[in-house]
Amino acid sequence: MDIVHLTPEFAPLAKVGGLADVVYGLARALVKKGHTVHVLLPKYDLIDDSQIEELRMHSSFSIEESGQSISNTLYTGKFQGVSLLLIEAHHPHSYFKRGKIYGERDDNDRFLYFCKAAAHVIKGGTFAIDALHLHDWPTAGTLLFLKDQEHPRTVFTIHNIQHQGRCSPFNLERLDAPFSYKELADPLYVNTLNLLKGAILYADAITTVSPTYKEEIQTAEYGLGLEKELIEQKKKLYGILNGIDTDYWNPATDPALFARYSVDNPLLGKQKNKREIQKQLHLTDGEKPLVVAITRLVAQKGPELIEYGIGKTLELGGQFILLGGAPDIKAHAHFSQLYPKNPDVAIFLEQNETLAHQLYAASDLFLMPSHFEPCGLSQMISLRYGSIPLVRSTGGLKDTVIDNVNGFTFDAIAKRGVDSVLTRAFTLYKQEPKRWHDIMIRGMKADYSWDRSADKYLEIYL
Ligand code: ADP
């Protein structure tokens, strides 16, 4: 098949978070299965052209915005077998030359412009397309520009329903987008349109990133206003678990580790990683269970429960290392003053890829008490690295971590949940090493590669 992915992110060229990894992983899995895959995204200034093979200009076209004609260049290139289609907008407001992907005041205008330009490329007919796969609200507007015309089958994936692309009618009018006020009206805010709602109505199929999240977003608690539309469209709604890149996340070959190990004999290698990290971070060494959290310190990830988990771990006689990106200054200030000089706690408030790899390998337990979690990749990585996950049973966490089988789970968003998983895990660690080992090995053996999920997408593309 010829498949086009429309996305604001693609790893590692233009990455903010998990979405970039997902599009990269899925695109590569589809290529391995023999399909032709194009990834269409803006040619941001932050993309390093030198990483792209065969980068060349393909064509030029113009897009009307507020009565002005703006010129664009379409580039083609290749990245690890995936074909890239990059739209460079020669826009007076330098829409995609801001040194970042999101977080600009005019994000609605920037991405709606991209949607109009992408629709132009798709309608142009230069590229054969059997299925058009769109990712998250920044691509949703494309469906408005395509809906009244013949177009390939469209599949829209909701990676996180928290981001809905709320905008004003003016954002659409300035691009002459055909739209219906009634159909796009935001369910919660007056005089506001909702691009994700439009995508739910107009896409031929909607997917989200785990079977449990698919059910959850049809409830008021998780649907954040769009539950009614999702229930109405449930016949075309699917939940497909994301995969992880099992070449990149492989403890047997991972160059970031102090010692490599595999599922056949993980104990010695894991212990070497633990000792080395304890030494480097000046933590006490010894047989204490090491708990880690590797996360973004935002409300979704349950920072208050992570903080509670640090205290509880110390009380139970363990060690805790937190690696938390803290985009919010308040969260940064709060976490940076916790447990100064405690020889059993280390806190790093940053994004640190190498340290993340080392902590997955060194740790015994991985705490992930998310309030909600569409899929979650971290728990799948921790399973693969033999760090037993302790998770709140929600979304993709519920689909991947099973209590007492490959991890420990709790239900309520409450300290008592963290209390229960830590206490149970510590008891097992101290009293039943054989069962501990079985739980760890079961997690390491599970298959979370993209292979299976890619087949499920292919069924939906047809
Ligand atoms: P989300 O995409 O919501 O942040 P996921 O669990 O789906 O959560 O993916 C998180 C990815 O980002 C994982 O690969 C994880 O290792 C990585 N990550 C999260 N926080 C950090 C951090 N502070 N430093 C390095 N990597 C991180």
Side-chain angles (χ1 to χ4, degrees):
M1 287 181 91
D2 290 289
I3 300 146
V4 173
H5 286 275
L6 215 62
T7 175
E9 296 184 42
F10 180 68
L13 301 174
K15 171 166 167 167
V16 175
L19 169 61
D21 294 320
V22 169
V23 180
Y24 167 82
L26 175 58
R28 294 241 304 145
L30 292 166
V31 167
K32 275 191 200 157
K33 287 178 185 290
H35 300 280
T36 302
V37 181
H38 304 281
V39 173
L40 174 53
L41 75 164
K43 191 169 186 302
Y44 301 105
D45 56 352
L46 51 72
I47 292 180
D48 174 4
D49 286 355
S50 71
Q51 292 197 43
I52 303 173
E53 297 151 43
E54 300 167 35
L55 180 65
R56 52 180 70 106
M57 268 190 217
H58 177 275
S59 52
S60 298
F61 60 96
S62 52
I63 290 294
E64 293 281 315
E65 183 193 68
S66 304
Q68 253 192 309
S69 176
I70 294 157
S71 71
N72 304 272
T73 308
L74 176 68
Y75 285 79
T76 56
K78 283 220 158 241
F79 188 79
Q80 298 184 8
V82 177
S83 147
L84 296 178
L85 305 176
L86 299 160
I87 297 176
E88 180 172 41
H90 307 290
H91 197 283
H93 296 149
S94 305
Y95 273 169
F96 301 107
K97 294 180 180 148
R98 307 278 180 90
K100 53 154 101 146
I101 293 178
Y102 318 107
E104 295 285 276
R105 282 173 57 190
D106 55 355
D107 276 0
N108 286 333
D109 290 329
R110 296 170 65 229
F111 286 105
L112 280 167
Y113 180 92
F114 168 62
C115 289
K116 187 171 182 182
H120 177 94
V121 171
I122 290 155
K123 286 188 282 193
T126 317
F127 304 95
I129 307 175
D130 298 311
L132 180 63
H133 189 158
L134 307 101
H135 299 270
D136 268 358
W137 80 266
T139 67
T142 314
L143 294 163
L144 298 176
F145 293 103
L146 293 178
K147 81 180 165 56
D148 298 326
Q149 308 174 29
E150 206 176 301
H151 60 75
R153 180 165 167 80
T154 53
V155 177
F156 186 92
T157 297
I158 301 171
H159 293 265
N160 185 339
I161 204 161
Q162 209 173 27
H163 311 296
Q164 302 188 356
R166 290 200 175 88
C167 65
S168 83
F170 180 64
N171 296 117
L172 293 174
E173 282 157 5
R174 61 200 293 281
L175 285 162
D176 301 317
F179 70 99
S180 138
Y181 280 90
K182 194 164 163 264
E183 289 179 355
L184 288 195
D186 188 86
L188 302 179
Y189 298 92
V190 288
N191 298 328
T192 303
L193 304 180
N194 186 312
L195 296 172
L196 191 56
K197 184 182 173 200
I200 292 168
L201 291 177
Y202 306 136
D204 296 318
I206 311 153
T207 72
T208 189
V209 291
S210 68
T212 296
Y213 195 57
K214 176 200 136 185
E215 299 304 326
E216 288 175 343
I217 57 177
Q218 296 177 62
T219 66
E221 191 186 348
Y222 291 90
L224 307 176
L226 292 177
E227 59 279 2
K228 196 169 138 274
E229 277 67 34
L230 287 162
I231 292 169
E232 277 167 15
Q233 304 294 333
K234 71 191 292 175
K235 272 206 187 113
K236 61 174 187 184
L237 177 61
Y238 304 83
I240 302 177
L241 204 63
N242 286 333
I244 54 171
D245 185 326
T246 46
D247 294 330
Y248 183 69
W249 293 110
N250 183 356
T253 55
D254 190 335
L257 305 193
F258 300 112
R260 278 160 279 282
Y261 58 93
S262 73
V263 65
D264 302 326
N265 185 13
L267 293 185
L268 198 61
K270 279 195 70 70
Q271 197 175 48
K272 277 191 189 155
N273 281 290
K274 184 167 165 182
R275 291 280 177 274
E276 191 55 39
I277 210 89
Q278 285 171 328
K279 203 159 92 192
Q280 296 209 353
L281 305 184
H282 308 293
L283 297 173
T284 52
D285 60 4
E287 273 318 310
K288 296 179 176 188
L290 172 61
V291 188
V292 303
I294 301 170
T295 189
R296 297 179 289 124
L297 290 167
V298 296
Q300 173 192 343
K301 306 289 178 180
E304 78 294 358
L305 296 180
I306 293 173
E307 180 179 345
Y308 178 78
I310 303 176
K312 186 71 197 175
T313 297
L314 293 177
E315 195 187 307
L316 291 167
Q319 279 182 337
F320 202 108
I321 304 174
L322 166 62
L323 173 58
D328 170 57
I329 2 177
K330 270 199 195 145
H332 194 283
H334 178 72
F335 275 90
S336 59
Q337 48 80 41
L338 293 180
Y339 301 100
K341 301 199 186 109
N342 188 313
D344 286 315
V345 180
I347 296 178
F348 296 89
L349 300 176
E350 61 188 29
Q351 280 289 124
N352 186 330
E353 189 72 12
T354 304
L355 184 58
H357 285 247
Q358 292 166 347
L359 293 181
Y360 283 115
S363 55
D364 300 295
L365 293 164
F366 186 84
L367 180 62
M368 195 165 173
S370 305
H371 291 200
F372 71 93
E373 196 60 74
C375 177
L377 301 174
S378 319
Q379 82 282 12
M380 297 194 241
I381 302 169
S382 84
L383 285 164
R384 189 156 162 81
Y385 279 62
S387 179
I388 297 177
L390 309 173
V391 307
R392 185 169 107 75
S393 211
T394 180
L397 296 174
K398 192 169 180 174
D399 295 322
T400 49
V401 183
I402 316 226
D403 196 50
N404 264 314
V405 174
N406 62 357
F408 295 93
T409 69
F410 63 96
D411 289 324
I413 304 176
K415 291 175 181 166
R416 65 173 190 283
V418 176
D419 224 295
S420 128
V421 286
L422 278 168
T423 307
R424 288 192 290 137
F426 272 62
T427 307
L428 197 73
Y429 185 89
K430 289 179 183 153
Q431 297 178 1
E432 295 188 67
K434 165 82 177 69
R435 257 191 71 217
W436 174 281
H437 189 256
D438 289 348
I439 289 182
M440 181 176 91
I441 295 293
R442 221 171 278 134
M444 291 185 80
K445 278 189 174 158
D447 176 11
Y448 291 115
S449 67
W450 266 106
D451 195 48
R452 234 175 340 153
S453 303
D455 283 340
K456 295 197 174 140
Y457 278 109
L458 282 168
E459 281 171 33
I460 295 173
Y461 294 157
L462 287 171

